Amino acid sequence: MTTVLEDALRDRITPRMRAAAAAERCQPGMVRAELAAGRAVLPANPGHGALRPSVIGRSFRTKVNANIGLSTELSSRSLELKKLSVALKAGADCVMDLSVGGNLAGLRKAMLAVCPVPFGTVPVYEAVCRSGGDPDSFDPDMLFRVIAEQAEQGVDFMTLHAGILREHIPLAMKRRAGIVSRGGAILALWMKKHRRQNPLYERWEEVLEVCRAHDVTVSLGDGLRPGCLADASDAAQFAEL
């Protein structure tokens, strides 16, 4: 038996697959086969005009991701563009924008225009900023608006913490270091205050519709990753997994 994805990709090699294959010095058919088998991803939003497609998977070169982002305390658009330039010159294969603050759409537009590598975000950060900055009071509808807007803007991949559930929070409270993931902590605070389930988990099909429409790759955020050796491989981590 074959999967729907395998059937769809069996005889189809796209220009982005060819470009990624050229960068890897392999045959386009290999890229197609790894994508169809679910062993690789090709973060390539058609709205990202400056992109040079790159395939990520165990059969290809190891990729290095650089995290940058606007700070509310010490940062500016010019500084973020300089960080992006430095990351690219250093050989970063992907760049992730972890910006917080105001006018994030304008900053992303400027970075996407000059970023030739896959560009990622963590939408819940912007959702909190646009909801007044209070992690436990953001509006889930705002989070979904942010996801849609970022996808339309050209973001290639997004970290979405959809695996941390309300019932996992008591497990995490037994830890020495607690919840160290910022995205995980935001969602945990919101679930605890409102006594509701993770909106990303409940509305996952809605998320996938947006990602499918813009060819956005999902990076499932590990909201309950351990923050110290004492918390490694504990009940909370495996519950989320």
Side-chain angles (χ1 to χ4, degrees), residues 143-144 147 160-162 187 198-204 207:
L143 173 57
F144 287 88
I147 291 171
L160 302 169
H161 302 81
L187 288 164
N198 184 342
L200 288 171
Y201 178 81
E202 290 190 322
R203 298 166 63 179
W204 189 239
V207 173

Side-chain angles (χ1 to χ4, degrees), residues 113-192:
V114 296
C115 182
V117 300
F119 186 92
T121 59
V122 185
V124 72
Y125 293 176
E126 181 175 355
V128 170
C129 291
R130 289 171 60 175
S131 299
D134 187 353
D136 60 5
S137 297
F138 80 93
D139 180 0
D141 288 333
M142 174 63 77
L143 173 57
F144 287 88
R145 282 200 297 275
V146 168
I147 291 171
E149 290 171 9
Q150 292 188 0
E152 291 172 4
Q153 200 169 17
V155 170
D156 301 296
F157 64 99
M158 298 180 187
T159 292
L160 302 169
H161 302 81
I164 176 173
L165 305 183
R166 183 182 172 189
E167 52 266 35
H168 299 159
I169 299 173
L171 298 175
M173 293 303 97
K174 300 176 182 178
R175 289 177 156 186
R176 180 167 297 181
I179 300 176
V180 296
S181 160
R182 186 177 178 216
I186 289 170
L187 288 164
L189 282 170
W190 185 89
M191 287 187 282
K192 189 173 181 180

Side-chain angles (χ1 to χ4, degrees), residues 173-238:
M173 293 303 97
K174 300 176 182 178
R175 289 177 156 186
R176 180 167 297 181
I179 300 176
V180 296
S181 160
R182 186 177 178 216
I186 289 170
L187 288 164
L189 282 170
W190 185 89
M191 287 187 282
K192 189 173 181 180
K193 177 178 180 178
H194 297 277
R195 299 181 181 180
R196 290 172 56 188
Q197 188 55 278
N198 184 342
L200 288 171
Y201 178 81
E202 290 190 322
R203 298 166 63 179
W204 189 239
E205 289 300 322
E206 186 178 334
V207 173
L208 292 185
E209 286 178 9
V210 172
C211 292
R212 187 179 297 112
H214 298 277
D215 211 354
V216 174
T217 296
V218 171
S219 170
L220 287 173
D222 48 351
L224 290 176
R225 65 178 182 268
C228 62
L229 287 176
D231 298 335
S233 300
D234 68 348
Q237 181 180 7
F238 283 117

Side-chain angles (χ1 to χ4, degrees), residues 2-30:
T2 61
T3 66
V4 173
L5 183 59
E6 286 173 323
D7 289 337
L9 293 176
R10 182 184 297 159
D11 301 313
R12 183 173 175 229
I13 295 179
T14 67
R16 285 179 287 177
M17 290 182 197
R18 294 185 187 280
E24 294 290 330
R25 298 182 181 179
C26 69
Q27 293 299 312
M30 179 180 176

